[in-house]
Coordinates of all heavy atoms in Angstrom, one line a residue:
G286 N 17.5 22.3 -1.0 CA 17.2 22.1 0.4 C 17.8 23.2 1.3 O 17.6 23.2 2.5
S287 N 18.6 24.1 0.7 CA 19.3 25.1 1.5 C 18.8 26.5 1.2 O 19.4 27.5 1.6 CB 20.8 25.0 1.2 OG 21.1 25.3 -0.2
T288 N 17.6 26.6 0.7 CA 17.0 27.9 0.4 C 16.1 28.4 1.6 O 15.3 29.2 1.4 CB 16.2 28.0 -0.9 OG1 15.2 27.1 -0.8 CG2 17.1 27.7 -2.1
V289 N 16.4 27.9 2.7 CA 15.5 28.1 3.9 C 15.5 29.7 4.2 O 14.4 30.3 4.4 CB 16.0 27.4 5.2 CG1 15.2 27.8 6.4 CG2 16.0 25.9 4.8
I290 N 16.7 30.3 4.2 CA 16.8 31.7 4.6 C 16.0 32.6 3.5 O 15.1 33.5 3.9 CB 18.2 32.1 4.8 CG1 18.8 31.5 5.8 CG2 18.3 33.7 4.9 CD1 20.3 31.8 6.1
V291 N 16.3 32.3 2.3 CA 15.6 33.0 1.2 C 14.1 32.9 1.3 O 13.3 33.8 1.1 CB 16.2 32.7 -0.1 CG1 15.5 33.4 -1.2 CG2 17.7 33.1 -0.2
E292 N 13.7 31.6 1.3 CA 12.2 31.3 1.4 C 11.6 32.0 2.6 O 10.4 32.4 2.6 CB 12.0 29.8 1.4 CG 12.4 29.1 0.2 CD 12.2 27.6 0.2 OE1 11.8 27.1 1.2 OE2 12.5 27.0 -0.8
T293 N 12.3 32.0 3.8 CA 11.7 32.7 4.9 C 11.6 34.2 4.8 O 10.6 34.8 5.1 CB 12.6 32.4 6.2 OG1 12.6 30.9 6.3 CG2 12.0 33.0 7.4
L294 N 12.7 34.8 4.2 CA 12.7 36.2 4.0 C 11.5 36.7 3.0 O 10.9 37.7 3.3 CB 14.0 36.7 3.4 CG 15.3 36.7 4.4 CD1 16.5 37.1 3.5 CD2 15.0 37.8 5.4
F295 N 11.3 35.9 2.0 CA 10.4 36.2 1.0 C 9.0 35.6 1.1 O 8.2 35.6 0.2 CB 10.9 36.0 -0.4 CG 12.1 37.0 -0.8 CD1 13.3 36.5 -0.5 CD2 11.9 38.2 -1.3 CE1 14.4 37.4 -0.8 CE2 12.9 39.1 -1.6 CZ 14.3 38.7 -1.3
S296 N 8.9 34.8 2.2 CA 7.6 34.0 2.6 C 7.2 33.1 1.3 O 6.1 33.2 0.8 CB 6.5 35.0 2.9 OG 6.9 35.8 4.0
L297 N 8.1 32.3 0.9 CA 7.9 31.4 -0.2 C 7.5 30.0 0.2 O 8.2 29.6 1.2 CB 9.2 31.4 -1.1 CG 9.5 32.7 -1.7 CD1 10.8 32.6 -2.6 CD2 8.4 33.4 -2.5
P298 N 6.6 29.3 -0.4 CA 6.1 28.0 0.0 C 7.0 27.0 -0.5 O 6.4 26.0 -1.2 CB 4.7 28.0 -0.5 CG 4.7 28.9 -1.8 CD 5.7 29.9 -1.5
G299 N 8.3 27.0 -0.2 CA 9.1 25.9 -0.8 C 9.5 24.9 0.2 O 8.9 24.7 1.3
M300 N 10.4 23.9 -0.1 CA 10.8 22.8 0.7 C 11.5 23.3 2.0 O 11.3 22.8 3.1 CB 11.8 21.9 -0.1 CG 11.2 21.1 -1.2 SD 10.0 20.0 -0.7 CE 11.0 18.6 -0.2
G301 N 12.3 24.4 1.9 CA 13.0 24.8 3.1 C 11.9 25.3 4.2 O 12.0 24.9 5.4
S302 N 11.0 26.1 3.8 CA 10.0 26.5 4.7 C 9.2 25.4 5.3 O 8.8 25.5 6.4 CB 9.1 27.6 4.0 OG 9.9 28.7 3.6
L303 N 8.9 24.5 4.4 CA 8.1 23.4 4.7 C 8.7 22.5 5.8 O 8.2 22.1 6.9 CB 7.8 22.5 3.6 CG 6.9 21.2 3.8 CD1 5.6 21.6 4.2 CD2 6.8 20.4 2.6
V304 N 10.1 22.2 5.7 CA 10.8 21.5 6.7 C 10.9 22.2 8.1 O 10.7 21.6 9.0 CB 12.2 21.1 6.1 CG1 13.1 20.4 7.2 CG2 12.2 20.2 4.9
V305 N 11.2 23.4 7.9 CA 11.4 24.2 9.1 C 10.0 24.4 9.9 O 10.1 24.2 11.2 CB 11.9 25.7 8.8 CG1 11.9 26.6 10.1 CG2 13.3 25.6 8.2
H306 N 9.0 24.6 9.2 CA 7.7 24.7 9.9 C 7.3 23.3 10.5 O 6.8 23.3 11.6 CB 6.8 25.1 8.9 CG 5.3 25.4 9.5 ND1 5.1 26.5 10.3 CD2 4.1 24.8 9.3 CE1 3.8 26.5 10.7 NE2 3.2 25.5 10.1
A307 N 7.5 22.3 9.8 CA 7.1 20.9 10.2 C 7.9 20.5 11.4 O 7.4 19.9 12.3 CB 7.2 19.9 9.0
A308 N 9.3 20.8 11.3 CA 10.1 20.4 12.5 C 9.7 21.2 13.8 O 9.8 20.6 14.9 CB 11.5 20.7 12.1
G309 N 9.4 22.4 13.6 CA 9.0 23.2 14.7 C 7.7 22.7 15.4 O 7.6 22.8 16.6
Q310 N 6.8 22.1 14.6 CA 5.6 21.6 15.1 C 5.7 20.1 15.5 O 4.7 19.6 16.0 CB 4.4 21.7 14.1 CG 4.2 23.2 13.9 CD 2.8 23.3 12.9 OE1 2.8 22.6 12.0 NE2 1.9 24.2 13.2
G311 N 6.8 19.5 15.2 CA 7.0 18.1 15.5 C 6.2 17.2 14.5 O 5.8 16.1 14.8
D312 N 5.9 17.7 13.2 CA 5.2 16.9 12.2 C 6.2 15.9 11.6 O 6.8 16.3 10.5 CB 4.6 17.9 11.3 CG 3.4 17.1 10.5 OD1 3.4 15.9 10.5 OD2 2.5 17.9 10.1
L313 N 6.4 14.7 12.2 CA 7.4 13.8 11.8 C 7.3 13.3 10.2 O 8.3 13.3 9.6 CB 7.4 12.6 12.7 CG 8.5 11.6 12.5 CD1 9.9 12.3 12.6 CD2 8.4 10.4 13.5
P314 N 6.1 12.9 9.8 CA 6.0 12.5 8.5 C 6.4 13.4 7.4 O 7.0 13.1 6.4 CB 4.5 12.0 8.3 CG 4.0 11.8 9.8 CD 4.8 12.8 10.5
I315 N 6.0 14.7 7.6 CA 6.5 15.8 6.6 C 8.0 15.9 6.7 O 8.6 16.1 5.6 CB 5.8 17.1 6.9 CG1 4.3 17.0 6.6 CG2 6.4 18.2 6.1 CD1 3.6 18.2 6.8
V316 N 8.6 15.9 7.9 CA 10.1 16.0 7.9 C 10.7 14.9 7.4 O 11.7 15.1 6.5 CB 10.5 16.1 9.5 CG1 12.0 16.1 9.6 CG2 9.9 17.4 10.1
Q317 N 10.3 13.7 7.6 CA 10.9 12.5 6.9 C 10.7 12.5 5.5 O 11.7 12.3 4.7 CB 10.2 11.3 7.5 CG 10.6 10.9 8.8 CD 9.8 9.6 9.4 OE1 8.7 9.4 8.9 NE2 10.4 8.9 10.2
G318 N 9.5 12.9 4.9 CA 9.4 13.0 3.4 C 10.1 14.0 2.7 O 10.7 13.7 1.8
A319 N 10.2 15.2 3.4 CA 10.9 16.3 2.8 C 12.4 16.0 2.7 O 13.0 16.3 1.7 CB 10.5 17.5 3.4
V320 N 12.9 15.6 3.8 CA 14.4 15.4 3.8 C 14.7 14.2 3.0 O 15.8 14.3 2.3 CB 14.8 14.9 5.3 CG1 16.2 14.5 5.4 CG2 14.6 16.2 6.3
L321 N 13.9 13.2 2.8 CA 14.2 12.1 1.9 C 14.1 12.7 0.4 O 15.1 12.3 -0.3 CB 13.2 11.0 2.1 CG 13.3 9.8 1.1 CD1 14.7 9.1 1.4 CD2 12.2 8.8 1.3
V322 N 13.1 13.4 0.0 CA 13.1 13.9 -1.3 C 14.4 14.7 -1.7 O 15.0 14.7 -2.7 CB 11.8 14.8 -1.5 CG1 11.9 15.6 -2.8 CG2 10.7 13.8 -1.5
I323 N 14.8 15.6 -0.7 CA 15.9 16.5 -0.9 C 17.2 15.7 -1.0 O 18.0 15.8 -1.9 CB 16.1 17.5 0.2 CG1 15.0 18.4 0.3 CG2 17.4 18.2 0.1 CD1 14.9 19.4 1.4
A324 N 17.3 14.6 -0.1 CA 18.5 13.7 -0.2 C 18.6 12.9 -1.5 O 19.6 12.8 -2.2 CB 18.5 12.8 1.1
V325 N 17.4 12.4 -1.9 CA 17.4 11.5 -3.1 C 17.6 12.5 -4.3 O 18.4 12.0 -5.2 CB 16.0 10.9 -3.3 CG1 15.8 10.3 -4.6 CG2 15.8 9.9 -2.2
T326 N 17.2 13.7 -4.4 CA 17.5 14.5 -5.4 C 19.0 14.9 -5.5 O 19.6 14.9 -6.5 CB 16.7 15.9 -5.3 OG1 15.4 15.7 -5.1 CG2 16.9 16.9 -6.4
Y327 N 19.6 15.1 -4.3 CA 21.0 15.3 -4.3 C 21.8 14.2 -4.9 O 22.8 14.3 -5.7 CB 21.5 15.6 -2.8 CG 22.9 16.0 -2.8 CD1 23.2 17.4 -2.7 CD2 24.0 15.1 -2.6 CE1 24.5 17.8 -2.6 CE2 25.3 15.6 -2.5 CZ 25.5 17.0 -2.4 OH 26.8 17.4 -2.4
V328 N 21.5 12.9 -4.5 CA 22.1 11.8 -5.0 C 22.0 11.6 -6.4 O 22.9 11.4 -7.2 CB 21.7 10.5 -4.2 CG1 22.3 9.2 -4.8 CG2 22.1 10.6 -2.7
V329 N 20.7 11.7 -7.0 CA 20.5 11.5 -8.4 C 21.3 12.6 -9.2 O 21.8 12.2 -10.2 CB 18.9 11.5 -8.6 CG1 18.7 11.6 -10.1 CG2 18.3 10.4 -8.0
I330 N 21.2 13.8 -8.8 CA 21.8 14.9 -9.6 C 23.4 14.6 -9.6 O 24.0 14.8 -10.6 CB 21.6 16.3 -9.0 CG1 20.0 16.5 -9.3 CG2 22.4 17.2 -9.7 CD1 19.6 17.9 -8.7
N331 N 24.0 14.3 -8.5 CA 25.4 13.9 -8.3 C 25.7 12.8 -9.4 O 26.7 12.9 -10.0 CB 25.7 13.4 -7.0 CG 27.2 13.5 -6.7 OD1 28.0 14.1 -7.5 ND2 27.7 12.9 -5.7

């Protein structure tokens, strides 16, 4: 979830770019889903 800068620099279609773009447009369902997936991944890996 923290590769936002790298994905932006190289124009990569990853989770970071998706969250930033959706938050800028106010697309609430995408922000909720993306943040939840990232958070669940963090908890499961931990």
Side-chain angles (χ1 to χ4, degrees):
S287 62
T288 57
V289 177
I290 296 177
V291 175
E292 291 178 3
T293 302
L294 283 175
F295 294 93
S296 301
L297 304 179
M300 294 290 287
S302 300
L303 180 66
V304 172
V305 171
H306 185 68
Q310 293 184 317
D312 203 335
L313 185 60
I315 290 183
V316 175
Q317 288 177 331
V320 173
L321 179 63
V322 168
I323 294 172
V325 169
T326 302
Y327 189 93
V328 172
V329 171
I330 292 179
N331 193 19

